[in-house]
Amino acid sequence: MKLYIGRNAGRTVCLTLPASYEEVDKALAEFGDARPEAPVLIQEARTSVPYLEGRLKGFSFEEKENRQELSFLARRIRYLTQTEQDVFSAVLRMEEPETLSEVINLSYNLDQYERIPHGTDQSELSRMMLKKDKGIEVPAEIAEFLDHERVSSAYFLRHKGEFSPSGLVLKKEGAVPEEVYGNGRHIHPGYEKGGLILLHLYQKGYRSPYGDYALSIPAPMERIALAREHFGVENLDGFGFYTSFVGREDLTDYLPAGLGAEEINRAATFFMEEVLDGTEERLQQLYCALSECLPEGTSIEQELARMLERLYEQTVPAEERRKVEDTVRREEREADAEMWSRRRFVLIKVVKDGRACHLLTQDYCIWTVRTVLFMLIEKRSEMKMDREEIYEMVIREMTETAVRERNEQSPEEQELQEKVARLSKEMQEKIKDLPEDVKKAITDYVEATLLAADHDCLYLYEQGAKDCVALLKKLGVL
């Protein structure tokens, strides 16, 4: 998003959003001290959402709240696919929002509108409009005799609709936009209504503590393609990530460890399309089934067992499934009490909010629908976790959760996220042509610095807990 700001019709300064605090301050400094009689306004805007340009003109750029909302809007647009941007532009023409907050909220309510692609047969479109407008069902056999211009003119007298580069956009009957942004709500620009989780992706070896790009799961393929384009890759499964979620439990707590971002998206898409019905009760039933908490023989358990079997077939390659089946058959023939006592894998049972779930440490996991929902296939290398490793894992999870929750509640921290991600990307771009030994030295240094900071964080967290206990003992509380 490019803004041209200035006083009245005088000189303007171009500023590209999102921008750093320093870049914003430098742009405002071009106009000297504040002058109430001639504030610095947006004189012109350039965005990938055409109708938005006219809506932004005239907003004061001197007001801090406006600057924060403009920066958020610029980041929000980056997460919209081209089709969504076209629909967003049509929605803005329909609704004509007056505030930046209203503009942002409309971008989160595109599900309240439907898009009729270009090329849709006019007779079919006329049938649909008559049904929506008058409740009249016209047989397809006689639809070609309808007067499309007359039907559409009558429809638009009572209903909202606009044309966009991606087709005709109509407002759904009874649509009530939900207030997602503003009034104390702090959300991520990549968040989407109805999402199960938000994956914060980062390239391994260049980890920002905030993640470089957020992906709301489940995501359609067009949004997956947008994320791939952002990183310049063909698949996201090799990327690291951490998760956040809004008002829900973290779905990844109930999935096998080791799944990649696109594998998690396929699983979440399957759950959304085949299992969930939009109710919280159904979602909790899913979580219970995945953590083995449903009584045996219940219909939901049987249904989820079938679901998991299908999901296993979709997410695990056929060749690997055959290997797994051979392994299971062989182990069933050889199984006895002594062998089971010597099996080498780590399966930690965790009780969360009164429900049991399982945390698998590492290596390849498979889906199964026997008495245990998930099973970790034995690896040749022995996997063990001592008490210190378990402590470290728990402390790391608690610190990352605390930092993540703080960042999600602070617009300033979100802007810092963008700056760190931008600098990380710039560094990768600048070192790509360097000799391999120089590039490796820089990469090793960055990784060592991040690792040292991570160790310091873990140590300080543990020491803080010890100091707290010591203090409480001295005060007689413990």
Side-chain angles (χ1 to χ4, degrees):
M1 179 190 295
K2 285 189 176 181
L3 301 181
Y4 295 84
I5 59 175
R7 299 189 193 277
N8 298 326
R11 182 175 63 89
T12 61
V13 171
C14 178
L15 181 65
T16 300
L17 296 182
S20 65
Y21 290 119
E22 294 81 3
E23 291 169 332
V24 172
D25 290 341
K26 182 179 178 182
L28 287 174
E30 295 284 336
F31 302 101
D33 297 333
R35 290 161 49 190
E37 74 282 1
V40 177
L41 306 177
I42 298 175
Q43 304 294 336
E44 190 177 352
R46 291 285 181 267
T47 81
S48 54
V49 183
Y51 193 72
L52 179 60
E53 298 174 355
R55 304 306 304 176
L56 296 181
K57 186 175 181 180
F59 276 105
S60 171
F61 197 75
E62 289 182 321
E63 296 181 18
K64 181 179 179 180
E65 183 178 0
N66 281 356
R67 294 199 300 271
Q68 289 178 341
E69 291 181 338
L70 286 165
S71 178
F72 185 94
L73 179 59
R75 289 183 287 142
R76 171 64 180 155
I77 291 173
R78 289 172 51 195
Y79 288 102
L80 297 180
T81 66
Q82 186 58 58
T83 300
E84 289 171 332
Q85 291 184 31
D86 291 342
V87 173
F88 186 29
S89 183
V91 169
L92 290 173
R93 286 198 297 272
M94 277 188 243
E95 307 297 349
E96 298 189 349
E98 297 181 356
T99 67
L100 290 170
S101 180
E102 290 175 351
V103 171
I104 294 171
N105 272 304
L106 283 174
S107 77
Y108 285 104
N109 282 277
L110 301 182
D111 61 326
Q112 302 296 311
Y113 304 82
E114 58 182 315
R115 179 180 65 90
I116 312 299
H118 287 308
T120 301
D121 184 74
Q122 285 193 345
S123 60
E124 182 61 30
L125 188 57
S126 297
R127 289 181 65 215
M128 182 194 67
M129 287 182 171
L130 278 173
K131 183 177 180 181
K132 286 177 174 290
D133 188 27
K134 304 289 188 180
I136 299 175
E137 292 275 4
V138 178
E141 294 77 10
I142 63 171
E144 61 181 294
F145 298 105
L146 293 173
D147 186 336
H148 177 69
E149 289 188 8
R150 183 176 179 181
V151 171
S152 59
S153 296
Y155 178 87
F156 288 121
L157 286 175
R158 290 177 289 274
H159 305 274
K160 289 185 176 181
E162 289 285 348
F163 285 95
S164 78
S166 294
L168 174 62
V169 179
L170 303 176
K171 188 171 184 178
K172 294 180 180 178
E173 294 300 316
V176 179
E178 178 183 341
E179 188 175 30
V180 177
Y181 175 89
N183 288 330
R185 297 178 180 86
H186 297 286
I187 57 174
H188 192 282
Y191 163 75
E192 296 295 337
K193 291 194 311 179
L196 295 176
I197 51 177
L198 196 63
L199 293 186
H200 300 262
L201 304 169
Y202 59 86
Q203 288 180 297
K204 293 180 179 179
Y206 294 96
R207 180 177 181 182
S208 155
Y210 311 106
D212 289 337
Y213 193 88
L215 185 65
S216 185
I217 300 294
M221 284 310 301
E222 193 174 2
R223 193 169 290 126
I224 293 289
L226 194 64
R228 292 173 179 169
E229 181 182 348
H230 173 82
F231 289 109
V233 298
E234 295 182 356
N235 192 286
L236 302 173
D237 281 337
F239 281 64
F241 62 85
Y242 68 86
T243 63
S244 63
F245 42 97
V246 181
R248 300 177 184 270
E249 294 182 76
D250 188 348
L251 175 64
T252 57
D253 285 348
Y254 299 87
L255 295 178
L259 293 183
E262 296 197 21
E263 291 173 319
I264 292 175
N265 184 62
R266 287 195 292 272
T269 300
F270 183 86
F271 292 149
M272 190 68 80
E273 294 177 352
E274 302 292 338
V275 181
L276 301 178
D277 58 5
T279 64
E280 186 65 24
E281 179 183 6
R282 191 68 162 181
L283 180 64
Q284 292 305 316
Q285 288 175 335
L286 170 62
Y287 287 157
C288 285
L290 295 180
S291 58
E292 303 176 74
C293 292
L294 284 181
E296 292 186 7
T298 60
S299 58
I300 182 65
E301 184 182 40
Q302 295 167 353
E303 180 179 344
L304 290 178
R306 290 192 295 270
M307 171 201 72
L308 288 173
E309 187 169 13
R310 290 174 58 191
L311 181 60
Y312 168 51
E313 293 174 355
Q314 291 182 13
T315 56
V316 179
E319 182 178 351
E320 194 64 41
R321 291 203 307 272
R322 286 193 295 271
K323 292 180 181 179
V324 168
E325 290 168 1
D326 291 342
T327 300
V328 171
R329 282 195 294 267
R330 183 179 67 253
E331 290 183 349
E332 286 178 345
R333 290 194 301 266
E334 300 173 354
D336 56 45
E338 183 180 0
M339 184 194 71
W340 281 108
S341 67
R342 292 201 304 265
R343 292 188 67 80
R344 301 188 298 273
F345 60 84
V346 178
L347 183 62
I348 302 174
K349 187 172 183 178
V350 181
V351 177
K352 179 178 180 181
D353 297 331
R355 283 202 311 278
C357 60
H358 294 89
L359 176 63
L360 305 179
T361 58
Q362 59 183 2
D363 282 358
Y364 189 73
C365 301
I366 70 160
W367 299 79
T368 183
V369 288
R370 300 173 187 274
T371 56
V372 180
L373 288 175
F374 299 123
M375 183 176 183
L376 184 64
I377 291 301
E378 178 182 8
K379 288 288 184 177
R380 292 182 180 178
S381 58
E382 185 173 3
M383 295 186 293
K384 294 182 180 179
M385 290 185 71
D386 57 26
R387 183 175 298 181
E388 292 300 322
E389 290 176 311
I390 294 174
Y391 286 163
E392 180 179 344
M393 180 181 65
V394 173
I395 291 173
R396 188 181 302 279
E397 178 67 21
M398 294 172 69
T399 54
E400 289 188 356
T401 299
V403 171
R404 181 172 67 243
E405 290 177 351
R406 181 201 64 176
N407 294 339
E408 290 175 350
Q409 299 299 320
S410 170
E412 289 78 10
E413 290 296 332
Q414 291 181 8
E415 290 191 14
L416 182 59
Q417 293 180 28
E418 294 291 333
K419 181 177 180 180
V420 172
R422 185 170 63 252
L423 291 175
S424 173
K425 197 170 184 179
E426 289 177 4
M427 183 184 74
Q428 295 174 50
E429 184 66 26
K430 290 179 180 178
I431 71 172
K432 68 179 182 180
D433 296 326
L434 294 175
E436 286 300 321
D437 58 334
V438 177
K439 188 190 304 183
K440 185 177 185 304
I442 294 174
T443 303
D444 290 346
Y445 170 74
V446 171
E447 291 180 351
T449 302
L450 292 174
L451 183 60
D454 186 53
H455 287 177
D456 289 345
C457 180
L458 292 175
Y459 170 78
L460 291 174
Y461 191 98
E462 183 177 353
Q463 188 60 42
K466 292 177 180 178
D467 293 342
C468 179
V469 172
L471 178 61
L472 292 175
K473 285 183 176 180
K474 288 181 180 180
L475 295 176
V477 178
L478 294 178

